[in-house]
Amino acid sequence: MATNPGLFSEWPWKRLGSFKYVVLAPWVVHGLHVAATKGWREADLGYLVILPSMILRALHNQAWITVSRLQNARGQRQIVQRGIEFDQVDRERNWDDQIILSAILFYLGALHLPGGQHLPLWRTDGAVLIALLHTGPVELIYYWFHRALHHHFLYTRYHSHHHASIVTEPITSVIHPFAELVAYELLFSIPLIACALTGTASIITFELYMLYIDFMNNMGHCNFELVPTWLFTCFPPLKYLMYTPSFHSLHHTQFRTNYSLFMPFYDYIYNTMDKSSDKLHENSLKNKEETIHVVHLTHLTSLQSIYHMRPGFAEYASKPYDSKWHTRIMWPLSWLSMVLTWLYGSWFTVERNVMNKLTIQSWAIPRYNFHYGLNQEKEAINSLIVKAICEADKKGAKVVTLGLLNQAQSLNGSGELYLQKYPKLRVKLVDGTSLAAAVVVNSIPQGTDQVVLAGNISKVARAVAAALCKKNIKIIMNNKQDYHFLKPKIPEDAAHNLLLSKTGIANVWVIGEGLDDVEQFRAPKGTRFITYSQFPPRMVRKDCCTYSTTPAMSVPKTLQNVHSCENWLPRRVMSAWRVAGIVHGLEGWNQHECGDTVLDMDKIWSAATLHGFRPFAEA
């Protein structure tokens, strides 16, 4: 909210939460009733298209969000070289409230405004009238109203809410207190009401005017420059009739300049034009090749996970991943996105972070969990990973972290395949085993003298078992085959601590994938389950048993531009595998960690905590 919220700051349907769309129900039901009783030909077409047009506006806004976040992830043509955080995402999650308000006003106008009923599809005179009224009264009134909003009295009560976002996203454009946005809606309605009262209104002109407002609003707040300089060189008057993202960005960083809505000529007239506008515009368009230091190579998981990624739905990405019913019913779109990413045939950048001058990017392989289990996909997946590694090497990256199934033993031998194929790689491949194992070992409660090890025996499980045995902690295994596989991997002087027992139990279980429900119910009540795998086993025990998440660490404040959650992990918590790559880059270590290689666990644990990373349990 604003620093000192004024009257009518809160949206009237805020308490309805996700059910706020019910406020449109009376008009939607009325429209369907009219169509059903009178027939589609006799019904008022302008009234019926209000809801579809509002849905299209929401899709238009979402498209801008996706494009903006993809561009932000690449770090190109950025205007303000800063990131955003979760508080901004939370503040801006109600961007669709403005669409609901617009829909209500349109419904009221279509029912009660003289000349607002049974509109034709097109009228040229109405389009000209809207253009003239917007250029004149709308832009002029907005300019002075905007300046008034920057007066201390109104700024602290209303407009400061919008300006809390110094680094803007497209949807920042509609993030205002209720009273302020009502004023904007009334202002933008001037051309529409005038058309209705003069009998020149039409459906298409109204739709185009709303599209123009949404397009310019989104463009002006997207924090990357996309308007070329040649446009103003070829058409000089456009400089006064069309603003740019860099022009409006200066308003969010300087506050007392560039007040205009979409047409900067009022700033020229009243001498409030920021003198650095042209220079910032030119500089922002320069494609500076940014140095990438660390690349985290991940992939899509479930079909719905594409909505959870940062360029997807902002609200979902800011919360731990959970497949929701309304995303599951979107399966046709999910399948289409899967086909499109498969046809794209290359990795794509989804996130960009900065820590102590270290630039970190997350790249996603366009494959889903189920692809990694298909033998016919292994060659294609490895080819995609190799392509990404070579590109990272070409860009001068120091570290590539193999996340999730990109390091699967069955796929590439924990990355060993790539070193064999490219032995002269300059970039260091890190699978993160040492830090993931260190997180698990340091999660074992003090005083524990025995644990049960269950689940598929991965590289991390082997490292954990070896470390615990060295600490003289007894490890009980129930699976004979896994026991005989793991026994030779334990140092001889500690191997006696690895035990095979069908009846042995303990109150601490170290578990991974492959642990079935029956095995979990063998654990006594109050057991603490500590996970060592990339994907956590299903939680089936409700009787006072506790489950840890996958090995993870909370990140320090120095790691910037963190405003999405990594898969199912909470905010500002990253998997140990991903953190390992960042620590590797910060320390400048010149060695790979893949194949059978495991780094010194105490060394990487100490380095991680020194840089401010903390065990998730302490977060």
Side-chain angles (χ1 to χ4, degrees):
M1 295 297 292
T3 52
N4 181 26
L7 291 174
F8 306 112
S9 289
E10 189 172 289
W11 287 80
W13 47 78
K14 180 180 179 180
R15 295 183 183 180
L16 293 176
S18 299
F19 297 98
K20 60 188 176 183
Y21 297 101
V22 299
V23 301
L24 297 177
W27 292 285
V28 175
V29 172
H30 176 252
L32 293 174
H33 177 262
V34 170
T37 55
K38 293 186 177 181
W40 293 99
R41 291 187 178 181
E42 296 297 324
D44 186 344
L45 181 60
Y47 186 82
L48 297 180
V49 300
I50 292 174
L51 180 63
S53 69
M54 294 301 122
I55 294 173
L56 288 175
R57 288 184 66 191
L59 294 174
H60 179 207
N61 287 352
Q62 179 58 49
W64 272 103
I65 295 169
T66 299
V67 170
S68 176
R69 289 192 163 198
L70 283 171
Q71 192 71 12
N72 175 269
R74 298 187 188 102
Q76 296 178 351
R77 296 191 176 186
Q78 274 195 293
I79 301 166
V80 180
Q81 299 294 328
R82 288 172 54 182
I84 67 173
E85 302 296 331
F86 283 107
D87 60 342
Q88 180 171 338
V89 177
D90 291 340
R91 187 172 59 253
E92 296 181 351
R93 72 173 69 253
N94 70 322
W95 60 269
D96 52 346
D97 281 345
Q98 178 257 350
I99 296 178
I100 296 175
L101 177 61
S102 294
I104 292 173
L105 295 177
F106 268 110
Y107 277 123
L108 292 174
L111 286 172
H112 306 295
L113 183 67
Q117 298 76 41
H118 297 283
L119 302 180
L121 282 176
W122 174 257
R123 284 197 59 148
T124 303
D125 50 359
V128 172
L129 181 60
I130 285 178
L132 292 174
L133 289 175
H134 177 86
T135 305
V138 172
E139 288 279 347
L140 179 62
I141 295 171
Y142 177 90
Y143 175 85
W144 286 108
F145 178 57
H146 194 183
R147 288 192 67 170
L149 285 170
H150 277 259
H151 183 276
H152 177 75
F153 181 84
L154 291 178
Y155 185 81
T156 56
R157 286 164 175 77
Y158 298 103
H159 202 50
S160 60
H161 180 69
H162 176 69
H163 272 276
S165 301
I166 296 174
V167 182
T168 59
E169 290 201 290
I171 52 175
T172 305
S173 61
V174 293
I175 302 304
H176 303 279
F178 175 68
E180 184 177 341
L181 204 43
V182 167
Y184 293 144
E185 290 286 338
L186 294 175
L187 176 62
F188 294 140
S189 69
I190 291 174
L192 305 180
I193 293 173
C195 280
L197 295 178
T198 57
T200 59
S202 66
I203 295 173
I204 295 178
T205 52
F206 278 21
E207 295 294 333
L208 288 177
Y209 184 51
M210 296 310 299
L211 176 63
Y212 167 75
I213 291 172
D214 286 344
F215 180 89
M216 297 299 288
N217 256 334
N218 285 313
M219 183 190 72
H221 290 81
C222 62
N223 195 39
F224 69 91
E225 192 53 76
L226 72 163
V227 181
T229 53
W230 61 259
L231 194 63
F232 299 127
T233 304
C234 296
F235 308 99
L238 275 181
K239 185 176 182 179
Y240 306 99
L241 299 175
M242 173 184 173
Y243 76 166
T244 64
S246 53
F247 175 93
H248 191 69
S249 178
L250 281 168
H251 176 70
H252 276 261
T253 55
Q254 304 303 318
F255 299 104
R256 297 294 183 181
T257 58
N258 296 4
Y259 291 103
S260 292
L261 178 55
F262 307 139
M263 299 177 176
F265 62 82
Y266 287 110
D267 279 301
Y268 283 98
I269 292 173
Y270 296 110
N271 198 31
T272 52
M273 178 78 175
D274 196 294
K275 301 295 188 294
S276 63
S277 296
D278 291 341
K279 188 172 183 60
L280 180 63
H281 179 229
E282 293 173 7
N283 290 338
S284 300
L285 282 170
K286 294 176 182 176
N287 257 326
K288 312 177 192 76
E289 190 64 33
E290 184 180 56
T291 301
I292 304 170
H293 301 101
V294 178
V295 171
H296 177 62
L297 200 58
T298 184
H299 61 80
L300 299 160
T301 52
S302 69
L303 276 181
Q304 291 80 33
S305 65
I306 196 156
Y307 307 124
H308 176 264
M309 299 177 73
R310 186 180 288 198
F313 294 159
E315 182 177 352
Y316 294 166
S318 68
K319 298 176 182 177
Y321 173 66
D322 181 24
S323 183
K324 304 178 186 297
W325 67 268
H326 39 279
T327 57
R328 286 194 289 269
I329 64 175
M330 292 169 63
W331 66 265
L333 185 60
S334 303
W335 275 97
L336 177 61
S337 68
M338 183 188 71
V339 172
L340 292 175
T341 52
W342 183 82
L343 291 174
Y344 179 65
S346 182
W347 54 267
F348 53 97
T349 308
V350 294
E351 191 168 340
R352 174 180 173 272
N353 308 105
V354 177
M355 182 176 178
N356 299 343
K357 297 184 179 180
L358 197 76
T359 303
I360 307 149
Q361 286 191 358
S362 293
W363 297 356
I365 299 296
R367 292 295 185 272
Y368 296 78
N369 278 359
F370 74 89
H371 285 117
Y372 286 79
L374 303 175
N375 287 327
Q376 61 268 31
E377 282 287 334
K378 287 184 178 179
E379 185 177 346
I381 292 173
N382 274 321
S383 177
L384 287 167
I385 296 173
V386 165
K387 185 178 178 181
I389 291 172
C390 291
E391 184 64 20
D393 195 47
K394 180 181 175 182
K395 288 179 177 290
K398 304 300 182 184
V399 179
V400 171
T401 312
L402 301 175
L404 296 180
L405 297 175
N406 289 326
Q407 56 166 275
Q409 182 70 33
S410 58
L411 180 69
N412 51 48
S414 297
E416 184 67 27
L417 175 68
Y418 310 131
L419 286 186
Q420 293 174 359
K421 193 170 184 179
Y422 297 96
K424 296 184 179 180
L425 273 177
R426 292 168 298 175
V427 66
K428 302 306 173 186
L429 301 186
V430 174
D431 64 15
T433 296
S434 54
L435 186 56
V439 169
V440 174
V441 171
N442 283 278
S443 298
I444 305 293
Q446 291 288 331
T448 301
D449 57 3
Q450 63 180 16
V451 302
V452 171
L453 180 64
N456 298 334
I457 303 302
S458 64
K459 183 181 175 183
V460 174
R462 297 199 303 269
V464 169
L468 292 179
C469 285
K470 287 180 182 178
K471 289 176 174 286
N472 212 30
I473 296 176
K474 305 293 182 184
I475 296 180
I476 302 169
M477 299 186 68
N478 301 317
N479 187 296
K480 187 175 182 180
Q481 183 178 352
D482 288 344
Y483 169 79
H484 287 297
F485 170 77
L486 188 57
K487 187 78 170 180
K489 314 290 183 182
I490 307 298
E492 289 185 16
D493 59 345
H496 63 278
N497 288 318
L498 186 68
L499 309 174
L500 176 65
S501 173
K502 291 289 185 181
T503 57
I505 58 173
N507 289 324
V508 177
W509 283 42
V510 179
I511 61 175
E513 291 179 87
L515 179 68
D516 59 31
D517 297 355
V518 175
E519 282 188 276
Q520 289 193 46
F521 277 105
R522 288 186 55 254
K525 290 184 179 181
T527 295
R528 180 171 181 175
F529 292 103
I530 299 175
T531 306
Y532 62 76
S533 58
Q534 296 261 19
F535 296 89
R538 195 162 66 95
M539 302 178 186
V540 298
R541 295 293 297 273
K542 308 294 184 183
D543 50 352
C544 301
C545 292
T546 59
Y547 290 80
S548 71
T549 182
T550 53
M553 303 188 81
S554 60
V555 303
K557 291 183 178 179
T558 50
L559 185 57
Q560 299 175 354
N561 202 33
V562 180
H563 57 271
S564 64
C565 293
E566 183 183 358
N567 298 322
W568 43 84
L569 295 172
R571 292 180 168 186
R572 296 196 68 84
V573 174
M574 289 183 177
S575 67
W577 293 270
R578 185 175 176 185
V579 172
I582 298 173
V583 173
H584 214 91
L586 289 169
E587 291 291 319
W589 290 334
N590 192 30
Q591 61 186 123
H592 299 284
E593 184 183 37
C594 53
D596 291 329
T597 303
V598 179
L599 301 182
D600 186 319
M601 288 168 52
D602 291 334
K603 178 181 177 181
I604 194 168
W605 177 259
S606 175
T609 54
L610 182 66
H611 287 291
F613 294 95
R614 294 288 180 265
F616 170 46
E618 296 179 12

